[in-house]
Amino acid sequence: MARNREGLVLVLDVGPAMHSVLPDVEKACSMLLQKKLIYNKYDEVGIVVFGTEETGNELAREIGGYENVTVLRNIRVVDEVVAEHVKQLPRGTVAGDFLDALIVGMDMLIKMYGNAQKGKKRLCLITNAACPTKDPFEGTKDDQVSTIAMKMAAEGIKMESIVMRSNLNGDAHERVIEENDHLLNLFSSNAIAKTVNVESPLSLLGSLKTRRVAPVTLFRGDLEINPTMKIKVWVYKKVAEERLPTLKMYSDKAPPTDKFAKHEVKIDYDYKVTAESTEVIAPEERIKGFRYGRQVIPISPDQIETLKFKTDKGMKLLGFTEASNILRHYYMKDVNIVVPDPSKEKSVLAVSAIAREMKQTNMVAIVRCVWRNGQGNAVVGVLTPNVSERDDTPDSFYFNVLPFAEDVREFPFPSFNKLPSSWKPDEQQQAVADNLVKMLDLAPSAKEEVLKPDLTPNPVLQRFYEYLELKSKSTDAALPPMDETFKRLIEQDPELISNNKSIMDSFRGSFEVKENPKLKKASKRLLRDKPSGSDDEDNRMITYEPNENKIDMVGDANPIQDFEAMISRRDKTDWTEKAITQMKNLIVKLVENCTDDDEGDKALECVLALRKGCVLEQEPKQFNEFLNHLFELCQERKLSHLLKHFTSKKITLIPKSEAADSDVVDENAGDFTVKQEPMLES
Amino acid sequence: MELDPDDVFRDEDEDPENEFFQEKEASKEFIVYLIDASPKMFSSTCPSEEKDKQESHFHIAVSCIAQSLKSHIINRSNDEIAICFFNTREKKNLQDLNGVYVFDVPERDCIDRPTARLIKEFDLIEESFDKDIGSQTGIVSDSRENSLYSALWVAQALLRKGSSKTADKRMFLFTNEDDPFGNMRISVKEDMTRTTLQRAKDAQDLGISIELLPLSHPDKQFNITLFYKDLIGLNSDELTEFMPSVGQKLEDMKDQLKKRVLAKRIAKRITFVICDGLSIELNGYALLRPAIPGSITWLDSTTNLPVKVERSYICTDTGAIMQDPIQRIQPYKNQNIMFTVEELSQVKRISTGHLRLLGFKPLSCLKDYHNLKPSTFLYPSDKEVIGSTRAFIALHRSMIQLERFAVAFYGGTTPPRLVALVAQDEIESDGGQVEPPGMNMIYLPYANDIRDIDELHSKPGVAAPRASEDQLKKASVLMRRLELKDFSVCQFANPALQRHYAILQAIALDENEVSETRDETLPDEEGMNRPAVVKAIENFKQSIYGDDPDEESDSGAKEKSRKRKAGNADDGKYDYIELAKTGKLKDLTVVELKTYLTANNLPLGGKKEVLITRILTHIGK
């Protein structure tokens, strides 16, 4: 087996007590194998089940015993078959002995790899550990387990046990369970082993690490207290988002007969002077530019190199501060872990001393870090203690990035105390809320913490791999519905709800909400800048309120008011357009029917209103064109008294200074009549 | 990546598609700074930071704006701004109104994005102000001149630019005159007040908001009720809320402006489903997001004009140019499994975009490593759903009192995430609000995202060394000596960003020298060298390392750890020389290659081939 490959044996309990959760075990294991097929396709996998009617393993054949343990698959490179296999686990009939099964698994690993491949051999046990184990031929169970564990440690076999107990019935098993837990603990203290206890199917899916990532240090070097006192540390990522695999683009251009077609797509970038031109600029003729206000500043690579901020690798302590000074929501990124260099015992001690004292006194450390030489920036972050609960694990720190001054936007928000009392809960409502917060409890002391991030799998990944599997069988497979198990993540737990039904009901009853009736759908957008829970007046930003009585026509009676109301309506974008068109029509009608000065005045007032509206709405063209048109009309009809009024009332075109879109320069706005006349006379 | 090949601000293993770190801000903002330049602004002073020195109100206003311009250019370079003085001797404005001067520099419109030149010249404005612009009271009773009215008119005309539907338009009015028409005859006063208020209302009706930044005299508080409460449209209830102590000190003013100049942008409108049949409305705000230098624009090096980047997809088999290929493939079980882009987005769509309450947990369940990206601040709104604020406040109080946080599922991100809602009580200091009241939404990792590193470093059956009582005591002294009192999280400017903009400014203005930027993130050497601190460090060191100070002794742990190294702790230990000889370096992953490069202090940039060549050159030496 080449390096960097893993040999894994799944040791699965399929006894009767496990039947109800086996579908979830199958899901978890199949996900694990699917990911191996994609990311670690040279990894090798074997499967052992126990609790089966029959017995089928090498140890049973060679030395006898080891009943009800069946090797479903010997260790082989992961392939489609095993991914299928694991989805149809046999349903066993007897209560199996997990110790026997572990020994069988361990034996397989040792026979396969011998002493090589330390740390790349992994045993994964999934059981409810509720069935009694057999007594060994000699010595106690404790001795036996310690021996096995030591053997594992010596062989470099890692073990993880997932103990799934959702609904244990009766106390008959209590003694057995206690003993089994004790035995599993013995593994943990004697081998690289850990035990995860889960109660819900969702945690079961989350407990199995399905993606194997080789841990790589981000940094190895000194944590500098000052230039004379340094602690050797290694820094790893503690949290890093697992994403969907990066899918390649596919080309279907190659003819179907072309067997050697790669179907790959290459992305090419062309740099052109303008969008239209075909002239392509060679890479060396390009220069980088950065936006600075409205300018783009070109910077040559040399300039960048000589001028840029320079850093030296290292972690420097800036000081300690009270933990309460660092609010939790200031953490900016995924989290790193800072562990002492395992070969430096003194550094382990130094980290231990600081971490423990930090925890004791509620302090944290502020550090400045540059992970690599020449890294473009330094980060300031906070070290918080991670005091180990296990004796064999050194203490360490978590590292979180803190924001720089530029990263913070401080907006003031109204104090809750200053809000009108009608918006604040009264005592009775507060009591109801207290009750809800207390009783809708996801971390009851007697039971497992529900939805613990460490045990909650990503539903999107789960769904993708499920879909991938379906598609591999039939290309036009439909997207499967959301897995039932994941409902617990997306919706409230029906059991929790029904247990607290009265609390939920009284909360619903105490806090009535209703849609704001004043608000029309389309106007919501305009209100986006309202700071939060304040009413209209509370805001210094006055936004357009949609007109209460909807005006949708410019009528003859009050045309100007109608027009103004319409043009300021914001519930639809086309109101402006409509208002302007209707106003124009009305003006033309007035002008055409104009017999005396009264009518003429009304028309002029309308023109003035239209002008004002067009300035407000920045629609200069609409008005300017119309005014020219109106002018022609007056000339045609020989309405010279109206024309006179245009001048006397100083009706002008809308110039650039009033509306940027206008193509009329300021000087020409006033004398448009003069300009128009010769044209009309010709 | 090609477009942005060596983004200096990107960590090596940071994902390239970190778009969620930077909330896209679609709309832009138009701002007019209106500065009262009346003689009173020059004659009134406030005590400054430095002892015995007085600063004029005009100076305070101008320095605030200068600082604000700089932050515009860094954080929001799309915003367009204009600077307009009123009560001036000279006039400069399109309307040709007296007493109003729109300050500008060449190659820039009156209202436009800030430029390096604008910033530079505005920095020097106080030197040339008297000569070029001059101060002169512009409200004259007899001639009915009203410079405040004119200023509002000019500002409104400037703000005609841009559609009010997509942009925010604001005026910031700096003045120390709380009663501009105070010494007029009553009839004139009424008239002027009426017309000015109408002018302001007209502007507000156009969607322009007017914000007042009043400057108070040390002995006489700016009385907002005299005139300005009507101008900015405050009703009596809100008067108490209106900033009480603005304008006492320059720093306070800067702080105020900084807080107000960025429009409060709702990053997201969120429906919070508390239980079936009860949903309230929340607004999500991005109060913390990493500021980064703008993206790179490629320029033609001869003309310095932006080049148009054209991306084309080419089929490698036929060479044909493809239209945005929509099929994606994942090799799996010896076949290529096809997905359409639509199918992939369907996979990610597993719930509505709502925030669904699942339950509550004690705060101790929220671990320090439960974090992925910057949090989002939530504040309730009764705008659409009346009663939201009340329910929110009730939960908020209960959560603070019971020391619990809410766990919820949020469908509004990709992928949807489990989130922790941590209630934050309001924190106030002299300068105003430090932490707003509300809840912070913390994005939790999934099990898939959490790595078990502790396990890697545990040695079964071997107890890890733990600090002794004495060592703890020494550590305690050390920590007390090195305690940062009044530490505030965002007190450091980003040194690389500061440097970046200093370079840009220098190049933009053709200056030879880049102004020095100070790296505030370095340890305080002076403090570290105080004898008591040095002694505390020395004692701690002594307690850990004993008398053998320099070389960390590798004691018994060494051999074991070596073994572990060879085994599981380190995946990068290859015989590189052997691999290089046999030409097998290419079989290693980039990460493994980088392990070698890191170990030998070599640069890590470039493609795989480049890395291999670099290693070969190094080995060849």
Side-chain angles (χ1 to χ4, degrees):
Chain A
M1 191 167 73
R3 47 177 102 237
N4 210 11
R5 290 179 199 173
E6 181 187 73
L8 166 73
V9 175
L10 291 168
V11 183
L12 308 174
D13 188 346
V14 297
M18 287 291 284
H19 287 186
S20 62
V21 294
L22 276 183
D24 292 303
V25 174
E26 288 168 349
K27 250 180 262 165
C29 295
S30 115
M31 174 85 135
L32 173 96
L33 296 173
Q34 273 190 290
K35 285 191 191 168
K36 280 195 185 294
L37 280 171
I38 291 173
Y39 296 106
N40 312 101
K41 53 185 171 190
Y42 303 111
D43 279 5
E44 297 173 326
V45 177
I47 302 175
V48 176
V49 291
F50 62 102
T52 48
E53 181 79 54
E54 29 335 301
T55 301
N57 65 72
E58 219 168 288
L59 282 180
R61 280 189 290 279
E62 283 169 5
I63 52 174
Y66 301 98
E67 287 108 12
N68 309 109
V69 178
T70 309
V71 177
L72 277 190
R73 173 192 161 99
N74 278 312
I75 301 173
R76 268 205 317 276
V77 169
V78 62
D79 52 23
E80 294 107 88
V81 187
V82 66
E84 280 304 301
H85 234 117
V86 83
K87 281 210 251 161
Q88 296 144 25
L89 293 175
R91 300 306 191 248
T93 51
V94 294
D97 179 339
F98 72 88
L99 282 181
D100 276 357
L102 274 177
I103 296 169
V104 170
M106 183 172 80
D107 179 61
M108 284 162 73
L109 282 170
I110 293 171
K111 281 183 178 144
M112 183 79 186
Y113 304 116
N115 201 21
Q117 286 304 314
K118 277 221 167 90
K120 296 278 177 225
K121 291 174 285 192
R122 190 171 145 206
L123 269 177
C124 178
L125 169 72
I126 304 181
T127 177
N128 59 1
C131 309
T133 48
K134 288 185 276 292
D135 280 316
F137 294 115
E138 53 193 51
T140 62
K141 284 185 189 176
D142 280 19
D143 295 342
Q144 188 198 15
V145 167
S146 301
T147 319
I148 303 171
M150 254 123 74
K151 177 77 176 156
M152 279 187 191
E155 297 283 342
I157 298 175
K158 278 203 254 184
M159 174 178 135
E160 59 185 276
S161 321
I162 296 166
V163 180
M164 167 74 190
R165 291 174 186 143
S166 48
N167 42 354
L168 287 178
N169 36 359
D171 43 7
H173 297 299
E174 215 165 82
R175 197 190 46 81
V176 177
I177 284 170
E178 218 166 86
E179 183 189 62
N180 285 345
D181 284 352
H182 166 71
L183 293 178
L184 286 169
N185 265 337
L186 273 182
F187 276 107
S188 302
S189 46
N190 288 301
I192 313 167
K194 66 167 182 185
T195 305
V196 184
N197 289 296
V198 296
E199 289 177 17
S200 73
L202 189 61
S203 323
L204 174 65
L205 287 179
S207 61
L208 189 63
K209 289 266 180 243
T210 48
R211 172 90 195 269
R212 187 167 68 78
V213 190
V216 180
T217 48
L218 193 72
F219 170 89
R220 290 183 191 201
D222 295 335
L223 167 59
E224 199 180 296
I225 309 288
N226 76 353
T228 62
M229 167 79 194
K230 294 168 182 172
I231 303 170
K232 299 270 178 213
V233 293
W234 290 3
V235 180
Y236 295 88
K237 284 249 173 209
K238 174 67 185 171
V239 171
E241 187 180 352
E242 181 184 343
R243 295 162 183 280
L244 290 180
T246 319
L247 276 68
K248 278 195 199 135
M249 283 185 285
Y250 180 81
S251 161
D252 52 5
K253 294 282 184 220
T257 47
D258 183 355
K259 279 190 205 132
F260 300 102
K262 283 181 176 151
H263 299 291
E264 281 170 7
V265 178
K266 206 176 102 200
I267 304 177
D268 248 24
Y269 292 98
D270 279 342
Y271 298 86
K272 296 180 175 175
V273 183
T274 55
E276 297 79 38
S277 85
T278 48
E279 196 188 332
V280 174
I281 298 169
E284 62 274 14
E285 287 169 10
R286 287 182 286 136
I287 184 166
K288 265 188 216 169
F290 286 93
R291 194 159 275 293
Y292 187 70
R294 65 187 280 258
Q295 294 147 290
V296 180
I297 314 288
I299 303 188
S300 69
D302 295 348
Q303 277 172 314
I304 293 182
E305 205 41 53
T306 47
L307 296 175
K308 74 169 186 195
F309 179 67
K310 294 180 184 70
T311 53
D312 291 317
K313 175 181 166 180
M315 286 181 88
K316 289 182 197 301
L317 176 79
L318 300 184
F320 298 90
T321 189
E322 277 175 35
S324 57
N325 279 341
I326 314 291
L327 296 169
R328 181 61 173 75
H329 59 266
Y330 282 114
Y331 293 180
M332 293 291 277
K333 279 182 70 174
D334 41 18
V335 188
N336 294 337
I337 183 166
V338 180
V339 292
D341 182 336
S343 67
K344 313 282 186 196
E345 196 179 322
K346 300 290 167 64
S347 291
V348 177
L349 275 176
V351 170
S352 166
I354 295 174
R356 281 172 188 254
E357 195 56 32
M358 268 170 35
K359 187 170 184 185
Q360 182 68 36
T361 53
N362 253 326
M363 300 280 274
V364 295
I366 307 295
V367 284
R368 171 205 200 258
C369 307
V370 175
W371 305 123
R372 284 170 286 121
N373 269 324
Q375 179 179 305
N377 202 358
V379 288
V380 172
V382 56
L383 292 181
T384 47
N386 174 32
V387 170
S388 175
E389 280 160 16
R390 286 178 57 137
D391 280 347
D392 56 3
T393 309
D395 297 328
S396 54
F397 301 114
Y398 291 122
F399 172 85
N400 271 289
V401 176
L402 293 176
F404 284 117
E406 292 90 338
D407 306 341
V408 186
R409 304 174 202 169
E410 298 172 75
F411 303 138
F413 287 83
S415 232
F416 287 158
N417 306 329
K418 287 182 184 157
L419 293 177
S421 58
S422 63
W423 293 32
K424 289 186 274 191
D426 57 29
E427 259 174 55
Q428 181 267 334
Q429 286 169 326
Q430 193 60 56
V432 172
D434 282 354
N435 230 347
L436 182 81
V437 173
K438 235 180 282 174
M439 298 311 292
L440 208 61
D441 190 2
L442 295 180
S445 48
K447 288 173 82 180
E448 174 195 37
E449 177 189 334
V450 187
L451 296 172
K452 203 173 172 177
D454 308 62
L455 292 177
T456 307
N458 184 337
V460 171
L461 290 175
Q462 174 77 28
R463 200 168 186 217
F464 173 78
Y465 287 104
E466 203 179 320
Y467 195 21
L468 180 68
E469 179 68 27
L470 289 176
K471 279 209 166 211
S472 76
K473 291 189 184 126
S474 143
T475 44
D476 48 5
L479 181 66
M482 195 62 216
D483 194 305
E484 271 303 309
T485 312
F486 283 87
K487 285 268 163 68
R488 284 296 68 74
L489 176 61
I490 296 168
E491 287 162 17
Q492 285 170 341
D493 184 356
E495 197 185 315
L496 191 63
I497 297 300
S498 66
N499 289 346
N500 294 299
K501 191 169 178 309
S502 62
I503 292 169
M504 304 297 280
D505 287 343
S506 74
F507 194 86
R508 248 190 304 264
S510 303
F511 292 95
E512 272 183 33
V513 294
K514 59 171 192 281
E515 291 261 324
N516 188 346
K518 274 200 276 180
L519 211 64
K520 284 165 208 104
K521 202 84 186 156
S523 65
K524 288 175 183 172
R525 193 174 40 84
L526 260 181
L527 298 164
R528 75 199 131 85
D529 254 313
K530 287 287 194 175
S532 59
S534 44
D535 62 6
D536 294 349
E537 284 76 30
D538 178 58
N539 202 333
R540 263 152 248 129
M541 164 106 176
I542 308 296
T543 44
Y544 249 114
E545 272 307 311
N547 206 301
E548 278 312 312
N549 8 318
K550 294 183 190 169
I551 305 281
D552 47 12
M553 268 291 289
V554 176
D556 289 346
N558 298 309
I560 295 172
Q561 286 90 324
D562 289 353
F563 171 74
E564 282 174 351
M566 243 174 109
I567 206 165
S568 53
R569 275 181 76 167
R570 286 292 184 273
D571 45 345
K572 249 195 223 147
T573 46
D574 56 356
W575 283 120
T576 311
E577 192 68 37
K578 265 191 196 157
I580 292 175
T581 314
Q582 292 190 8
M583 194 61 172
K584 281 183 193 168
N585 293 341
L586 185 83
I587 294 170
V588 171
K589 205 168 93 188
L590 284 172
V591 168
E592 282 178 341
N593 302 336
C594 169
T595 47
D596 54 47
D597 269 7
D598 258 13
E599 298 264 315
D601 283 349
K602 197 171 179 186
L604 279 176
E605 272 165 29
C606 288
V607 172
L608 280 170
L610 179 67
R611 188 179 191 281
K612 194 175 157 204
C614 286
V615 171
L616 289 184
E617 292 300 317
Q618 298 283 292
E619 296 280 6
K621 282 212 181 85
Q622 289 252 28
F623 180 79
N624 290 350
E625 276 166 23
F626 176 71
L627 192 61
N628 282 331
H629 168 76
L630 194 68
F631 192 78
E632 279 172 44
L633 189 79
C634 291
Q635 297 237 316
E636 247 170 60
R637 305 246 164 163
K638 307 266 183 279
L639 298 166
S640 53
H641 62 287
L642 267 181
L643 286 175
K644 251 184 276 162
H645 284 309
F646 275 19
T647 345
S648 69
K649 295 247 169 159
K650 289 194 179 118
I651 294 175
T652 66
L653 297 170
I654 301 178
K656 253 197 160 44
S657 62
E658 288 188 75
D661 293 345
S662 169
D663 34 23
V664 178
V665 279
D666 289 38
E667 301 86 74
N668 294 344
D671 50 23
F672 87 106
T673 43
V674 184
K675 229 177 86 184
Q676 293 292 326
E677 269 157 3
M679 233 175 73
L680 288 162
E681 274 163 15
S682 65
Chain B
M1 285 313 275
E2 168 73 11
L3 283 172
D4 196 0
D6 48 358
D7 189 346
V8 292
F9 282 78
R10 189 162 281 158
D11 276 358
E12 177 187 14
D13 42 5
E14 200 172 296
D15 60 278
E17 28 175 326
N18 60 351
E19 77 279 27
F20 61 58
F21 284 112
Q22 303 128 35
E23 313 260 324
K24 287 263 167 11
E25 287 170 303
S27 66
K28 65 185 214 175
E29 198 164 86
F30 293 86
I31 294 178
V32 176
Y33 293 102
L34 277 178
I35 308 137
D36 187 352
S38 70
K40 195 176 169 187
M41 286 288 283
F42 291 87
S43 57
S44 313
T45 53
C46 289
S48 80
E49 295 284 287
E50 293 157 57
K51 270 181 226 147
D52 308 329
K53 220 183 128 192
Q54 296 281 312
E55 280 166 337
S56 73
H57 281 163
F58 185 76
H59 171 76
I60 293 177
V62 168
S63 358
C64 283
I65 294 165
Q67 193 200 34
S68 169
L69 287 180
K70 282 171 198 155
S71 70
H72 267 291
I73 219 164
I74 295 183
N75 291 319
R76 312 198 30 87
S77 63
N78 271 332
D79 289 352
E80 302 200 3
I81 62 124
I83 300 168
C84 174
F85 296 100
F86 65 101
N87 288 328
T88 54
R89 186 184 67 230
E90 306 296 323
K91 63 177 172 182
K92 187 175 154 212
N93 58 78
L94 279 175
Q95 288 75 9
D96 206 35
L97 297 167
N98 283 330
V100 180
Y101 191 99
V102 179
F103 174 80
D104 206 4
V105 294
E107 294 163 40
R108 188 178 173 277
D109 289 338
C110 296
I111 184 155
D112 202 342
R113 290 181 290 206
T115 61
R117 188 153 173 194
L118 179 80
I119 287 184
K120 188 154 190 220
E121 294 199 5
F122 190 76
D123 267 345
L124 304 170
I125 184 116
E126 284 179 85
E127 291 169 22
S128 63
F129 187 84
D130 197 40
K131 185 168 128 285
D132 296 339
I133 304 174
S135 164
Q136 182 179 310
T137 306
I139 296 175
V140 187
S141 162
D142 301 335
S143 64
R144 299 262 167 159
E145 282 286 343
N146 183 345
S147 53
L148 180 59
Y149 176 91
S150 304
L152 289 171
W153 187 359
V154 169
Q156 182 189 334
L158 287 167
L159 289 171
R160 286 213 177 104
K161 192 170 176 185
S163 152
S164 64
K165 286 161 197 156
T166 55
D168 292 318
K169 300 182 175 185
R170 314 209 281 166
M171 296 182 198
F172 285 97
L173 180 63
F174 292 77
T175 184
N176 61 355
E177 177 56 78
D178 51 9
D179 192 10
F181 311 115
N183 45 12
M184 311 253 145
R185 265 184 297 124
I186 191 78
S187 61
V188 181
K189 177 178 175 174
E190 271 173 10
D191 192 42
M192 280 197 168
T193 306
R194 189 178 50 78
T195 49
T196 311
L197 290 182
Q198 188 55 43
R199 183 46 61 198
K201 188 169 178 303
D202 284 351
Q204 285 160 337
D205 285 349
L206 284 170
I208 297 170
S209 73
I210 303 179
E211 305 209 13
L212 177 69
L213 287 130
L215 293 124
S216 294
H217 298 263
D219 48 347
K220 186 169 162 281
Q221 189 76 21
F222 189 96
N223 186 350
I224 192 152
T225 55
L226 288 177
F227 172 73
Y228 277 101
K229 89 173 165 55
D230 298 323
L231 184 101
I232 56 177
L234 287 177
N235 61 30
S236 53
D237 288 351
E238 293 143 355
L239 278 179
T240 44
E241 218 189 284
F242 194 80
M243 283 128 290
S245 64
V246 199
Q248 293 298 340
K249 274 197 315 233
L250 176 61
E251 288 310 309
D252 287 355
M253 190 79 172
K254 282 187 179 164
D255 224 38
Q256 278 299 338
L257 186 63
K258 194 172 134 202
K259 283 183 185 173
R260 289 166 68 181
V261 83
L262 296 170
K264 207 183 294 184
R265 267 159 227 276
I266 299 170
K268 263 164 203 151
R269 194 171 277 282
I270 298 170
T271 303
F272 183 35
V273 186
I274 297 175
C275 54
D276 287 328
L278 181 62
S279 304
I280 64 171
E281 186 197 350
L282 305 179
N283 286 326
Y285 299 85
L287 298 189
L288 290 164
R289 291 295 180 270
I292 51 161
S295 56
I296 291 169
T297 311
W298 284 106
L299 305 174
D300 181 337
S301 61
T302 47
T303 61
N304 278 346
L305 289 173
V307 295
K308 170 93 179 126
V309 183
E310 235 166 60
R311 183 163 62 171
S312 47
Y313 298 97
I314 297 165
C315 167
T316 50
D317 298 320
T318 61
I321 291 186
M322 304 180 62
Q323 296 305 316
D324 260 310
I326 45 166
Q327 296 279 87
R328 298 283 192 279
I329 51 159
Q330 172 63 51
Y332 179 65
K333 297 188 179 175
N334 300 322
Q335 16 172 342
N336 281 330
I337 313 290
M338 302 243 205
F339 289 91
T340 62
V341 173
E342 175 55 25
E343 282 171 334
L344 286 173
S345 70
Q346 282 292 341
V347 168
K348 293 174 193 163
R349 214 171 295 149
I350 56 168
S351 77
T352 59
H354 296 168
L355 180 66
R356 191 106 174 65
L357 176 70
L358 299 171
F360 299 90
K361 290 181 186 179
L363 281 172
S364 59
C365 287
L366 183 62
K367 306 291 184 209
D368 278 325
Y369 61 90
H370 291 161
N371 206 71
L372 265 177
K373 52 176 183 169
S375 59
T376 300
F377 179 75
L378 303 178
Y379 194 91
S381 162
D382 270 28
K383 194 87 263 165
E384 282 166 41
V385 183
I386 294 173
S388 296
T389 309
R390 186 189 300 135
F392 184 87
I393 295 179
L395 289 177
H396 181 265
R397 284 186 183 157
S398 306
M399 283 158 67
I400 287 182
Q401 210 234 317
L402 298 164
E403 297 184 349
R404 293 182 144 243
F405 68 95
V407 176
F409 187 74
Y410 183 44
T413 55
T414 319
R417 290 218 168 262
L418 207 57
V419 294
L421 307 180
V422 181
Q424 174 64 51
D425 221 350
E426 185 176 23
I427 301 178
E428 284 180 298
S429 76
D430 305 341
Q433 197 171 54
V434 179
E435 283 296 325
M439 294 191 198
N440 286 293
M441 176 155 79
I442 289 159
Y443 300 89
L444 301 173
Y446 286 116
N448 312 59
D449 310 326
I450 300 174
R451 299 178 179 181
D452 202 348
I453 303 294
D454 303 25
E455 180 200 325
L456 205 68
H457 278 256
S458 60
K459 300 164 191 166
V462 182
R466 297 282 189 241
S468 67
E469 273 307 311
D470 176 56
Q471 287 163 337
L472 287 176
K473 225 177 270 165
K474 297 280 168 24
S476 167
V477 175
L478 173 81
M479 283 163 60
R480 272 207 307 279
R481 286 285 171 212
L482 282 173
E483 183 172 351
L484 306 164
K485 298 262 162 58
D486 317 313
F487 178 80
S488 116
V489 261
C490 38
Q491 69 187 41
F492 302 115
N494 182 340
L497 202 64
Q498 292 294 329
R499 184 78 191 155
H500 177 80
Y501 282 102
I503 296 171
L504 287 188
Q505 191 172 1
I507 297 178
L509 295 171
D510 259 335
E511 285 167 353
N512 291 327
E513 292 286 305
V514 176
S515 59
E516 266 318 303
T517 49
R518 201 166 66 85
D519 184 354
E520 298 164 354
T521 64
L522 286 169
D524 162 27
E525 265 182 51
E526 199 184 318
M528 285 285 190
N529 285 333
R530 274 176 309 178
V533 175
V534 174
K535 184 154 176 280
I537 295 175
E538 202 46 52
N539 284 343
F540 179 62
K541 191 178 170 186
Q542 165 80 23
S543 78
I544 299 282
Y545 295 121
D547 294 326
D548 174 25
D550 290 329
E551 275 313 300
E552 146 100 61
S553 64
D554 275 339
S555 68
K558 189 175 178 180
E559 209 182 337
K560 238 180 219 131
S561 77
R562 271 229 184 108
K563 253 194 223 156
R564 284 175 48 78
K565 256 187 174 175
N568 60 1
D570 188 349
D571 289 292
K573 291 285 171 226
Y574 295 113
D575 185 347
Y576 287 92
I577 296 168
E578 187 57 36
L579 287 171
K581 266 189 204 151
T582 49
K584 281 186 181 154
L585 279 177
K586 63 180 186 333
D587 296 341
L588 300 184
T589 66
V590 170
V591 175
E592 286 160 346
L593 293 172
K594 284 187 178 170
T595 315
Y596 179 88
L597 294 168
T598 317
N600 291 286
N601 261 338
L602 295 170
L604 296 172
K607 292 193 170 168
K608 188 168 181 179
E609 296 89 79
V610 181
L611 303 185
I612 291 175
T613 325
R614 198 174 294 143
I615 295 179
L616 290 175
T617 329
H618 184 258
I619 288 173
K621 271 186 207 162

